[in-house]
Amino acid sequence: MRASEDQLRQWMHGGLDGDAVAYAALLSALVPMLRSFFGSRMRGVPDDVEDLVQETMMAIHTRRGTYDRDRPFAPWAYAVARYKMIDHFRRGRVTVPIEDLEHILVSEGFEDAASARLDMDSLLDGLSPKQAQAIRATKLEGLSVAEAATRAGMGESDVKISVHRGLIALAKRVRGSS
């Protein structure tokens, strides 16, 4: 039986607050959800489905600090899963026929996830391009500071400073201070 959004959020909040039992329940509930999500999109490739489930579980775990407690959990988790699937397709140079695109976009929570993405893009657009790029790379894509620096052709300390200053500016904007 699939867990409800309220139950998933409750477990995620518990996990973020240090409740290991709640976090274990969340991870257990995510496995069948992710298998179903990837299974319907990766027809006939069960090994890829399991690999994607594991990659997504690790990404959710490592990026759990980016989850906004005021937003639904499932759309956030499915957004992480979609990015992992896109990365998988890119690695394999797989293309999806346009007629399948609607099925992919109709997945659970897409509108909420897309709305959250637009909100994030809107916030980052108010920063300098260097700060926005550093935050996208390290906080949203999960790159290390070294990886982000290499990608941008910047020094690691420059990336750290850009992230720090960008986050301060974002905090002020969100609070309405600037």
Side-chain angles (χ1 to χ4, degrees):
M1 185 172 147
R2 186 174 159 171
S4 70
E5 171 61 32
D6 290 338
Q7 185 63 64
L8 292 170
R9 282 180 79 180
Q10 183 179 7
W11 286 332
M12 182 61 166
H13 290 200
L16 290 171
D17 293 336
D19 182 345
V21 174
Y23 194 62
L26 173 69
L27 296 179
S28 294
L30 283 175
V31 170
M33 287 173 57
L34 292 172
R35 278 189 184 132
S36 174
F37 178 84
F38 291 124
S40 67
R41 289 156 181 82
M42 307 288 295
R43 298 175 195 106
V45 193
D47 289 342
D48 286 352
V49 169
E50 287 305 311
D51 289 348
L52 284 167
V53 168
Q54 290 304 312
E55 286 180 36
T56 304
M57 295 289 285
M58 290 186 327
I60 286 172
H61 175 72
T62 58
R63 292 175 179 87
R64 67 189 181 277
T66 67
Y67 170 67
D68 180 350
R69 291 174 182 251
D70 295 329
R71 292 197 171 263
F73 174 77
W76 179 83
Y78 283 123
V80 172
R82 270 191 302 283
Y83 284 117
K84 287 296 167 188
M85 185 173 60
I86 290 167
D87 288 345
H88 174 79
F89 287 153
R90 282 184 184 142
R91 281 192 303 268
R93 302 205 186 281
V94 174
T95 58
V96 177
I98 196 72
E99 28 318 325
D100 291 344
L101 186 61
E102 183 177 334
H103 174 69
I104 290 170
L105 295 178
V106 174
S107 66
E108 292 181 43
F110 175 77
E111 289 181 30
D112 288 336
S115 176
R117 179 68 182 203
L118 291 173
D119 289 345
M120 183 57 63
D121 287 343
S122 174
L123 282 172
L124 291 176
D125 285 345
L127 299 177
S128 75
K130 187 164 85 170
Q131 290 173 346
Q133 180 183 22
I135 290 173
R136 275 191 178 97
T138 58
K139 301 301 181 187
L140 300 179
E141 296 176 30
L143 296 180
S144 69
V145 170
E147 292 168 330
T150 300
R151 178 197 280 179
M154 300 166 48
E156 289 183 34
S157 60
D158 200 7
V159 170
K160 289 179 188 177
I161 291 167
S162 294
V163 168
H164 178 73
R165 290 180 179 164
L167 291 176
I168 289 172
L170 284 176
K172 287 179 180 176
R173 275 186 77 194
V174 168
R175 286 189 209 115
S177 304
S178 83

